[in-house]
Amino acid sequence: MNSARQPIGVFDSGIGGLTVVRQLRRLLPREDLVYLGDTARVPYGSKSPETVIRYACEDTRFLMRRGVKAVVVACNTASAWALETLTQRFDVPVFGVILPGARAALKATRQGRIGILGTHATIRSMAYHKAILARDDTLHLYARACPLLVPLVEEGWVDHAVTRAVLRDYLRPLLRRRIDTLVLGCTHYPLLKDAIARVAGRGVRLVDSAEACGAFVRERLAHLRLLETRRRRAGVIHAFVTDEVERFEMVAARYLGEPPGPVQRVPLD
Ligand code: DGL
């Protein structure tokens, strides 16, 4: 039986999932969090569905061993391909980022013209399409894989001429379709929000899947009576990575908005 006292587990292919942790911290400041960044095997966005599902199961198994009460799949790629399998295989509630992002897009759109950005694997999965069209099949959706954005963000080039040029190129076909809403369907894209907003223009509402996920997890945990309500201290983050900790520690604060605390390296087998 899961109890509210247990931590929430969060995993991602690497560091980007800290944008989701940031939102969880903002909305659920008393929750303890266990974060796993699979830095040894990042990126997931260029891998096959079978590999992504296998990695996601291994990541979840690790979090289960840490005694988590629920698992948040912060990675859009893993949410897109593995959520169903994880829900079937593991005995805790599992939340992804796709459904919250889709719901937020449905709420945001005015003219029913929605753009979706993500990794190759996320776009290939059509997961956002399925989640949105299942709720309203009159909407027009336009998706674009943006494989260059993750490395640009990891390089810290969030306000750089090269990134702006890449964004203009990626967004052009979507803007031509007169989208009014744009889903940022990848862990790294919240860091590009300002740059994307400038290229997309005022008429396009941005949907941050990390932000939407935070609100969704709070709502679901409350419904399941798994929200921590009695703890007086602030929640803590236990961060684990599968490759060396130094680089992760160096850049984590950029995604998380605070220092990550001690980070441990773990093997997944
Ligand atoms: N975390 C991935 C996602 O949100 C981006 C990085 C990767 O390709 O692994 O899709």
Side-chain angles (χ1 to χ4, degrees), residues 51-52 60 84 105 114 134 150 173 191 195 204 216 219 228 237 253 266:
T51 301
V52 172
T60 304
E84 213 180 300
I114 302 173
V150 166
L191 279 85
V204 179
F216 182 79
E219 178 192 310
E228 172 55 77
I237 308 173
V266 285

Side-chain angles (χ1 to χ4, degrees), residues 15 18 21 25 33-35 235-241 244-265:
I15 195 160
L18 291 177
V21 172
R25 297 275 287 169
L33 303 172
V34 180
Y35 180 80
V236 293
I237 308 173
H238 293 273
F240 297 89
V241 289
E244 57 184 20
V245 298
E246 285 74 17
R247 189 169 157 71
F248 184 91
E249 281 180 325
M250 233 161 55
V251 294
R254 217 192 288 151
Y255 298 78
L256 187 58
E258 61 179 313
V263 183
Q264 247 173 284
R265 180 175 180 165

Side-chain angles (χ1 to χ4, degrees), residues 12-13 42-45 75-77 119 122 150 186-188:
D12 177 48
S13 53
V42 70
Y44 285 10
C75 179
N76 276 259
T77 303
T119 63
T122 298
V150 166
C186 175
T187 47
H188 290 60

Side-chain angles (χ1 to χ4, degrees), residues 2-32:
N2 298 322
S3 96
R5 303 246 81 179
Q6 292 168 262
I8 302 171
V10 183
F11 80 84
D12 177 48
S13 53
I15 195 160
L18 291 177
T19 56
V20 173
V21 172
R22 184 182 196 147
Q23 296 301 329
L24 293 171
R25 297 275 287 169
R26 191 171 66 81
L27 295 171
L28 302 168
R30 294 193 193 285
E31 295 286 347
D32 287 341

Side-chain angles (χ1 to χ4, degrees), residues 113-125:
R113 307 181 74 80
I114 302 173
I116 299 153
L117 306 180
T119 63
H120 270 307
T122 298
I123 298 305
R124 174 181 166 196
S125 74

